[in-house]
Amino acid sequence: MSMLTPVLQPPEVKEYLSKGERFIKWDDETASASPVILRVDPKGFYLYWTYQNKEMEILDITSIRDTRVGRFAKIPKCQKLREVFNLDYPHSTFLLKTLTIVSGPDMVDLTFHNFVSYKENVGKSWAEDIMAIVRNPLTYNASRYTFLEKILVKLKMQLNAEGKIPVRNIFQMFPADRKRVEAALSACHLPKGKNDAINPEDFPETVYKTFLMNLCPRPEIDEIFTSHHLKAKPYMTKEHLAKFINKKQRDSRLNDILFPPAKPEQVQSLIEKYEPSGINIQRGQLSPEGMVWFLCGPENNVIALDKLVLYQDMTQPLSHYFINSSHNTYLTAGQFSGISSPEMYRQTLLAGCRCVELDCWKGRPPDEEPIITHGFTMTTEILFKDAIEAIAESAFKTSLYPVILSFENHVDSPKQQAKMAEYCRTIFGDMLLTEPLEKYPLKPGVPLPSPKDLLGKILIKNKKNQSISGKRQNSLKKGRNVEPEIIEQPTPMDAEDTVWAGDVAEEEPEEEDEHLGNLDEEEIKKMQSDEGTAGLEVTAYEEMSSLVNYIQPIKFDSFEVSAQKNRSYVISSFTELKAYDLLTKFPVQFVEYNKRQMSRIYPKGTRMDSSNYMPQMFWNVGCQMVALNFQTMDVPMQQNMALFEFNGQCGYLLKHEFMRRPDKQFDPFSVDRIDVVVASTLSVTILSGQFLSDRSVKTYVEVELFGLPRDTKRKYRTKLTSTANSINPVWKEEAFVFEKIMMPELASLKIVAWEEGGKFIGHRVIPVIAVHSGYHHVCLRSESNMPLTMPSLFVYLEIKDYVPDAWADLTIALSNPIKFFSLQDKRSVKLKDGSVERLGTQKSFPSAETNGIPDFTGKFSAPFSNGPAGAAAFAKDENVIEVTQIAEPRTASLAELQQMKLFLKLLKKQEKELRELERKGHKRREELLQKYSVLFSEPVCYRGKKRMIHARKTQKKRNGRKH
């Protein structure tokens, strides 16, 4: 049980890191170099350095994105600094002493902190051990109390000249309501003036907890405590706590034998850990305050921590995984005028991305160095070589699993393509996979190798020229230097075969010069409108072609043709529009295609702002490489980053069995059920928030589900809080229920907090299979998925197997048969004693033969209520259960009925209603008689008038004839 056996250990801070080391911090812009002492606090929350004048700079560990040493670290460009560090001397040891720490709120807005140690190789150990702390899963997924503890650590680091905590720092840390902060300090008998200071010894952890309880009271947790402890007692015993854990904090679907429930003697350790009162600890009792800290502890993490580490089978073929993929990786902003940077390759790979894109174009004379840019736009250019070096540096820092380089090759020069291939061979070295593995030849019917088979390997996705001669191929395999020669190009495609907007990218080889020569500006615009410049790719010459093996791009023909050819090593790329068209028309065939071989989806060309499409729809049909613009942290990118944080952030997520097995069919649009897959029901109750904003504002929360198209309602929203309270707002609302999640493995839950007016506070995206049931604090993330220290939401989550309406109450009976039969026996005894009042029988509940609960004949029947909500009501109301369990109803005699007050009262009521009905009936009868007597008299008068008019007209006609 996770309550008592922690799955993950917090990061270890080595002694030398907290003790500190002397470095020189330098800055190219200011040409300054200052001696500092670099340290990491003992808890591993902050990296900080102190100058000689005692000034301090603090860097949150979670904001660190990379550490670099040696030739990968920054090197001073300023001549003054170069002289200081003897950089231009032939025997300079600068590269053995340098350390660069990269930090930033996202992948684009980066800061480089540069240090030089006094000793050689010191920076290397610092770089490795700092990143070990950063990459520990608990650094990003710490408990609520760990984030609160982080605030205390920072306050105690920022001391004034007298070594005390300035009170103004506390006001700055909790800025939403100054009066409440002052009141909380007063309650702890601490000074509250803005110019006052607090001795650190007077502000230990116990006092800090008291301060927080006064600043942010938790009435909603008090209510939970009251409903689960012994009545009239201000504490919870070991037995009550064990019962609370088993009933509320434990997944009800777990098997009691394989996952034993908590026992009273086992929870004593939790009381010792969280109860502030020593006397209560001795007595084995938990107070309401102890309950608050218990629910803030690591035992109550909202996610299943065991899924953060590498836990999936990594020996399946590559096509059986979702692969974290990037589109136009080199761009830092928009697609039309953005800046290109090699740093983006480092950042995406460090974030766990395993497929990056390189748009290669011909370099200009005299160097003729191949470049990377977005063709026909105003984006800046970077050298191909710089991008390859950045990839080589960062490819396997976060994950050892294979990296795929998706080339969009527009270099129509054999010489420059040869240069590209040479860079790949020399810079990547043994990391580059140049030959297929012996066990997995490039033959029809042979599956792709697994991520484990390709550990530490880089694969090239580039057009492959199938006409390379065996002799030429062999010479390339042996690594000989062969002068590039132009091979005869394939015949250009007919006009009707040309790839236009909406078609598939990376098609059959075609000559770029001829193609571009015949295109005017309008045609180029048309091609850019959807698939971008991908349709203008040129043929691969020999050197580049020889590097391609398991990822060979071809033109997509049809699902039928792909199945007939059965080649796992070929891949087709689709724009989001083309892929959407295919998945709506041929969902089952698309899934089957993705079982065998890979597909890559990329944004349409009109997304000039680098926005993203929702990846969920393409994951639903098993598309492996759903490429997104990593520079834009919108909702699709937030979902992508949150999901790929799991499974050790390795960049690969194993698809569901139904999306892998050839003997199973999966239709993502299925309205009924998926064979053998148990659907889930998820209910989310938003209870309260803590420190949501720096301002005193009204707030609200949205809850959304991403999953299959046929999953139930996708989005809910709480009401706006009634008062402007962002410190501890409370929402008293019903649970948001996602009644049927057809495939939980493909679904994820998103919770977002907003200020009034729509200003973003924070969010969290969690895969449904990683959600823990129970009361939890959800620590929120920034838009770029970085953990936020202050804001959190307190929620109650319940996830259980979905039960169709027809079986809702039956499952309750089956889940606790002892209680079911016990209640039945009690009811039988009451009936025999004749002590049952008629009140129960007046309720209009179906009998045991019609309510879905087994009667004594063992037959099952339809339920009396619909769905889980009805089932829950059924479980709560024992009277209902008792009524439905009457085996042989006994008829009461008239004398017994006349003795019942309720019967007499009901009889009087019925008599009164009868008299009223008689009165109304008599009145209605009189009205009808009067109405119809009038109606019957009117036609007679009307017919009389009609005869008189007709006689007059006849007389006039006769008189006219006479004249």
Side-chain angles (χ1 to χ4, degrees):
M1 176 190 162
S2 61
M3 285 281 169
L4 307 168
T5 54
V7 178
L8 299 175
Q9 295 299 325
E12 177 193 1
V13 180
K14 294 183 178 179
E15 188 180 353
Y16 82 89
L17 294 174
S18 53
K19 187 179 177 182
E21 181 74 39
R22 291 170 64 235
F23 283 85
I24 296 173
K25 186 176 188 302
W26 61 270
D27 187 344
D28 241 341
E29 289 184 10
T30 59
S32 62
S34 308
V36 297
I37 297 177
L38 192 63
R39 295 186 181 93
V40 176
D41 77 275
K43 295 278 187 182
F45 295 147
Y46 302 100
L47 173 75
Y48 63 103
W49 50 94
T50 311
Y51 293 90
Q52 288 178 324
N53 62 1
K54 302 301 181 183
E55 284 186 12
M56 183 188 293
E57 286 189 45
I58 300 174
L59 195 61
D60 194 317
I61 282 285
T62 60
S63 72
I64 296 176
R65 295 185 168 271
D66 195 15
T67 55
R68 297 169 191 171
V69 294
R71 63 189 181 90
F72 299 119
K74 289 282 185 181
I75 296 174
K77 295 176 182 176
C78 169
Q79 188 58 36
K80 180 183 174 183
L81 290 175
R82 293 182 71 85
E83 290 173 4
V84 169
F85 297 125
N86 297 325
L87 261 173
D88 298 320
Y89 283 81
H91 302 293
S92 172
T93 57
F94 179 83
L95 293 180
L96 297 174
K97 298 177 180 179
T98 186
L99 168 67
T100 296
I101 294 168
V102 187
S103 68
D106 54 48
M107 297 183 197
V108 178
D109 185 10
L110 301 174
T111 304
F112 297 86
H113 309 275
N114 303 304
F115 301 89
V116 179
S117 64
Y118 288 86
K119 304 172 190 174
E120 294 179 7
N121 297 319
V122 169
K124 184 179 179 184
S125 54
W126 274 79
E128 290 173 355
D129 291 332
I130 288 172
M131 287 311 295
I133 298 170
V134 173
R135 292 212 178 97
N136 187 298
L138 286 182
T139 300
Y140 269 54
N141 297 280
S143 66
R144 176 59 186 160
Y145 183 69
T146 301
F147 283 108
L148 293 173
E149 192 179 18
K150 196 171 175 178
I151 298 168
L152 178 62
V153 169
K154 191 169 186 179
L155 287 171
K156 289 192 172 184
M157 285 169 62
Q158 296 175 315
L159 304 178
N160 61 15
E162 299 171 356
K164 294 184 178 182
I165 303 170
V167 171
R168 65 162 56 88
N169 287 0
I170 297 176
F171 290 142
Q172 289 170 3
M173 198 68 76
F174 304 97
D177 193 328
R178 183 165 177 166
K179 288 184 179 179
R180 287 177 67 165
V181 176
E182 289 174 349
L185 288 169
S186 297
C188 298
H189 309 289
L190 295 170
K192 60 179 182 179
K194 68 175 181 179
N195 296 320
D196 291 336
I198 300 169
N199 196 319
E201 286 77 24
D202 296 335
F203 202 51
E205 189 176 355
T206 51
V207 176
Y208 176 62
K209 284 183 174 181
T210 305
F211 167 76
L212 289 174
M213 291 298 293
N214 283 280
L215 176 61
C216 182
R218 304 300 298 276
E220 74 285 6
I221 293 182
D222 291 343
E223 287 182 22
I224 296 165
F225 183 87
T226 305
S227 63
H228 287 90
H229 82 299
L230 192 65
K231 303 302 177 189
K233 298 287 183 182
Y235 56 80
M236 189 182 278
T237 63
K238 288 186 289 186
E239 290 73 21
H240 289 120
L241 180 56
K243 187 178 178 181
F244 169 77
I245 290 171
N246 294 329
K247 187 177 178 183
K248 292 293 183 181
Q249 304 300 95
R250 187 174 187 275
D251 193 329
S252 60
R253 301 169 297 177
L254 291 177
N255 182 287
D256 287 356
I257 297 171
L258 297 176
F259 304 93
K263 296 177 181 177
E265 56 270 20
Q266 290 176 304
V267 301
Q268 176 63 31
S269 61
L270 296 174
I271 294 174
E272 291 170 1
K273 185 176 179 181
Y274 294 108
E275 176 52 45
S277 166
I279 297 172
N280 282 351
I281 291 173
Q282 291 176 6
R283 295 174 179 173
Q285 298 169 351
L286 188 73
S287 66
E289 186 179 343
M291 183 70 161
V292 170
W293 301 123
F294 165 62
L295 291 174
C296 287
E299 296 84 359
N300 287 294
N301 205 306
V302 69
I303 61 173
L305 295 176
D306 58 335
K307 288 183 168 53
L308 286 171
V309 296
L310 190 71
Y311 74 98
Q312 292 181 341
D313 176 15
M314 302 303 288
T315 62
Q316 301 278 328
L318 274 180
S319 57
H320 289 183
Y321 297 85
F322 297 118
I323 303 173
N324 197 357
S325 303
S326 162
H327 168 253
N328 285 0
T329 312
Y330 49 90
L331 290 177
T332 60
Q335 302 287 311
F336 183 71
S337 58
I339 295 172
S340 304
S341 169
E343 184 62 36
M344 282 304 294
Y345 286 99
R346 294 187 182 94
Q347 293 304 316
T348 52
L349 291 167
L350 290 167
C353 179
R354 296 290 86 188
C355 176
V356 295
E357 185 176 16
L358 301 91
D359 289 356
C360 308
W361 295 81
K362 191 164 60 172
R364 301 179 188 87
D367 298 330
E368 293 192 350
E369 283 288 331
I371 59 170
I372 291 177
T373 188
H374 197 193
F376 304 110
T377 67
M378 296 171 66
T379 54
T380 61
E381 302 168 358
I382 59 173
L383 292 177
F384 176 83
K385 183 182 178 182
D386 291 348
I388 295 299
E389 286 178 343
I391 292 166
E393 176 196 344
S394 305
F396 302 109
K397 276 190 169 183
T398 298
S399 168
L400 290 173
Y401 288 96
V403 169
I404 298 167
L405 305 187
S406 179
F407 280 77
E408 186 182 301
N409 198 340
H410 303 276
V411 179
D412 60 348
S413 161
K415 181 181 176 182
Q416 290 196 29
Q417 280 204 22
K419 191 179 278 191
M420 289 165 60
E422 184 63 20
Y423 285 145
C424 289
R425 288 179 185 276
T426 55
I427 296 171
F428 293 148
D430 292 340
M431 293 187 292
L432 184 64
L433 185 75
T434 55
E435 296 296 325
L437 303 181
E438 192 176 338
K439 285 173 61 180
Y440 301 95
L442 300 178
K443 294 180 180 178
V446 178
L448 288 168
S450 70
K452 188 176 180 181
D453 294 323
L454 298 167
L455 271 175
K457 291 297 180 184
I458 293 175
L459 284 70
I460 302 290
K461 170 185 169 284
N462 189 85
K463 284 189 175 181
K464 189 171 180 71
N465 192 334
Q466 305 295 339
S467 63
I468 295 177
S469 66
K471 183 179 177 181
R472 178 75 174 165
Q473 186 77 284
N474 289 335
S475 66
L476 286 167
K477 288 177 185 176
K478 291 174 184 176
R480 296 176 190 164
N481 291 324
V482 183
E483 287 300 317
E485 57 185 50
I486 301 176
I487 311 182
E488 188 178 345
Q489 293 293 305
T491 308
M493 298 165 64
D494 294 331
E496 62 185 25
D497 295 326
T498 304
V499 186
W500 296 109
D503 285 345
V504 185
E506 288 154 321
E507 313 290 21
E508 294 292 331
E510 57 203 65
E511 280 224 62
E512 192 193 38
D513 356 4
E514 288 186 19
H515 214 71
L516 283 177
N518 297 326
L519 290 177
D520 57 26
E521 288 182 15
E522 286 187 11
E523 288 174 312
I524 290 173
K525 269 186 185 178
K526 187 179 178 185
M527 296 197 72
Q528 287 180 300
S529 66
D530 182 15
E531 68 178 19
T533 56
L536 302 177
E537 267 196 279
V538 299
T539 300
Y541 294 106
E542 294 179 8
E543 284 75 10
M544 279 303 297
S545 188
S546 67
L547 303 181
V548 181
N549 37 65
Y550 289 117
I551 320 286
Q552 299 183 20
I554 64 161
K555 177 180 179 179
F556 176 76
D557 194 338
S558 68
F559 292 122
E560 292 76 14
V561 170
S562 299
Q564 288 168 9
K565 291 184 177 179
N566 194 16
R567 296 181 295 175
S568 64
Y569 54 87
V570 300
I571 177 174
S572 292
S573 291
F574 309 90
T575 67
E576 57 178 292
L577 298 179
K578 178 67 176 178
Y580 180 75
D581 185 53
L582 288 172
L583 75 85
T584 51
K585 292 177 180 175
F586 314 103
V588 177
Q589 294 93 321
F590 211 161
V591 173
E592 292 300 311
Y593 174 91
N594 286 320
K595 290 178 184 178
R596 178 182 59 256
Q597 60 199 85
M598 293 201 286
S599 59
R600 178 177 175 269
I601 317 300
Y602 63 97
K604 59 186 178 182
T606 51
R607 292 187 181 271
M608 301 308 288
D609 59 349
S610 292
S611 60
N612 288 302
Y613 54 86
M614 288 302 293
Q616 184 70 50
M617 66 180 102
F618 303 113
W619 289 335
N620 287 345
V621 289
C623 296
Q624 296 86 356
M625 291 185 273
V626 182
L628 300 177
N629 292 308
F630 270 53
Q631 70 270 36
T632 306
M633 291 298 165
D634 49 12
V635 172
M637 192 60 208
Q638 289 167 4
Q639 186 190 9
N640 187 78
M641 290 193 71
L643 264 59
F644 280 104
E645 186 179 339
F646 290 83
N647 198 33
Q649 206 179 355
C650 73
Y652 288 82
L653 294 175
L654 188 63
K655 294 194 283 188
H656 190 276
E657 185 183 16
F658 269 67
M659 307 176 92
R660 294 183 277 123
R661 285 175 52 178
D663 60 324
K664 296 287 183 182
Q665 268 203 350
F666 172 62
D667 181 359
F669 294 98
S670 172
V671 292
D672 186 14
R673 66 186 183 87
I674 303 164
D675 186 29
V676 188
V677 177
V678 179
S680 294
T681 297
L682 174 64
S683 64
V684 183
T685 308
I686 306 296
L687 298 170
S688 65
Q690 296 78 44
F691 305 113
L692 292 184
S693 176
D694 292 342
R695 304 182 299 141
S696 187
V697 292
K698 295 181 180 181
T699 52
Y700 64 94
V701 178
E702 287 181 345
V703 181
E704 189 172 4
L705 183 78
F706 304 121
L708 293 175
R710 303 299 183 185
D711 289 344
T712 48
K713 183 173 179 178
R714 299 298 186 87
K715 196 169 185 177
Y716 294 95
R717 174 182 161 169
T718 66
K719 293 177 182 175
L720 199 66
T721 50
S722 55
T723 58
N725 168 22
S726 60
I727 292 180
N728 61 339
V730 175
W731 290 274
K732 292 186 178 180
E733 297 188 23
E734 294 297 317
F736 301 144
V737 180
F738 301 97
E739 190 174 14
K740 188 177 183 181
I741 305 171
M742 295 186 65
M743 188 178 277
E745 291 83 356
L746 271 177
S748 53
L749 175 71
K750 182 177 184 183
I751 302 174
V752 196
W754 302 90
E755 288 185 10
E756 183 181 19
K759 184 182 176 183
F760 177 84
I761 294 173
H763 82 286
R764 194 70 185 272
V765 179
I766 309 171
V768 169
I769 57 167
V771 170
H772 265 163
S773 290
Y775 293 98
H776 300 291
H777 288 88
V778 180
C779 299
L780 301 180
R781 301 277 181 90
S782 70
E783 287 174 305
S784 56
N785 206 42
M786 302 286 283
L788 299 170
T789 304
M790 299 291 285
S792 74
L793 294 170
F794 185 57
V795 303
Y796 178 66
L797 302 169
E798 188 176 12
I799 185 162
K800 53 190 177 182
D801 293 337
Y802 167 74
V803 178
D805 290 348
W807 306 100
D809 44 4
L810 167 61
T811 55
I812 291 173
L814 292 175
S815 65
N816 198 340
I818 296 173
K819 182 179 179 181
F820 172 71
F821 286 111
S822 173
L823 288 170
Q824 191 179 53
D825 292 342
K826 286 179 185 178
R827 184 65 178 165
S828 299
V829 170
K830 285 182 181 180
L831 284 170
K832 287 178 184 177
D833 294 342
S835 60
V836 180
E837 291 192 4
R838 192 60 181 166
L839 173 61
T841 61
Q842 297 301 323
K843 293 184 180 180
S844 141
F845 294 118
S847 64
E849 291 82 15
T850 61
N851 65 10
I853 291 183
D855 59 17
F856 287 103
T857 63
K859 295 178 181 178
F860 298 98
S861 47
F864 80 92
S865 62
N866 285 326
F874 179 85
K876 289 178 185 175
D877 192 347
E878 291 190 1
N879 290 330
V880 179
I881 296 175
E882 291 175 3
V883 171
T884 59
Q885 291 163 359
I886 301 174
E888 296 177 3
R890 173 176 166 271
T891 306
S893 65
L894 183 61
E896 286 175 335
L897 288 173
Q898 288 173 344
Q899 296 297 318
M900 294 182 186
K901 290 181 181 179
L902 185 64
F903 171 76
L904 295 173
K905 187 177 178 182
L906 185 63
L907 195 63
K908 286 181 181 178
K909 183 182 176 184
Q910 288 176 343
E911 287 173 353
K912 184 180 178 182
E913 287 175 352
L914 183 62
R915 287 196 297 270
E916 181 67 19
L917 285 171
E918 286 177 347
R919 186 185 66 78
K920 288 181 179 178
H922 181 73
K923 184 179 178 182
R924 180 65 174 159
R925 179 171 171 272
E926 292 295 326
E927 288 174 353
L928 289 172
L929 283 173
Q930 187 175 357
K931 178 182 176 182
Y932 284 106
S933 62
V934 172
L935 287 173
F936 279 118
S937 62
E938 280 181 356
V940 174
C941 301
Y942 176 73
R943 280 195 295 268
K945 287 180 181 178
K946 195 172 180 180
R947 284 195 195 102
M948 289 175 67
I949 292 167
H950 180 70
R952 286 176 186 167
K953 285 181 179 178
T954 307
Q955 186 64 37
K956 282 181 180 179
K957 284 179 182 179
R958 286 174 182 171
N959 293 337
R961 283 171 189 167
K962 287 179 182 178
H963 293 294

